[in-house]
Amino acid sequence: MLRIGLLLLIVPGLLMMAGYLYEQSLVDACLDSGGSFDFHQGECDLQQQHEFVPYMIRHPLLVNGGMLLSVVGLFCCLYGLYVRAPR
């Protein structure tokens, strides 16, 4: 139970950070080329300006689901540490 809890605690956060950092690298490349990043389309636009839309607004299932899985993983870890392992 402890190992499953550790996986559930760590992996969702890493996946969210990986997705966010990948998108940030796209935004950075777009801004370096003089464009404006369209967050809804996920592409660089050189013609018009686009407003910033937070990651949480664009990917609510990923963020909320990841946080929920992390909390479940935390409780699994606590349960695994509390209950003595069978011998």
Side-chain angles (χ1 to χ4, degrees):
M1 183 66 102
L2 184 60
R3 291 180 190 195
I4 293 171
L6 284 173
L7 283 175
L8 287 176
L9 183 61
I10 294 171
V11 171
L14 289 176
L15 290 176
M16 281 188 290
M17 285 189 332
Y20 178 77
L21 291 175
Y22 173 72
E23 186 178 73
Q24 280 302 110
S25 69
L26 294 176
V27 171
D28 188 45
C30 179
L31 294 177
D32 286 344
S33 68
S36 175
F37 194 78
D38 184 1
F39 289 97
H40 292 293
Q41 300 296 325
E43 55 190 32
C44 189
D45 189 4
L46 300 173
Q47 302 300 324
Q48 62 182 5
Q49 295 288 87
H50 300 282
E51 65 180 27
F52 173 73
V53 181
Y55 195 75
M56 169 75 182
I57 300 298
R58 289 177 280 120
H59 304 286
L61 185 62
L62 176 68
V63 174
N64 290 332
M67 295 305 293
L68 181 63
L69 283 176
S70 291
V71 170
V72 169
L74 174 68
F75 286 124
C76 287
C77 285
L78 290 174
Y79 178 78
L81 290 171
Y82 181 72
V83 175
R84 185 179 297 179
R87 296 181 190 237

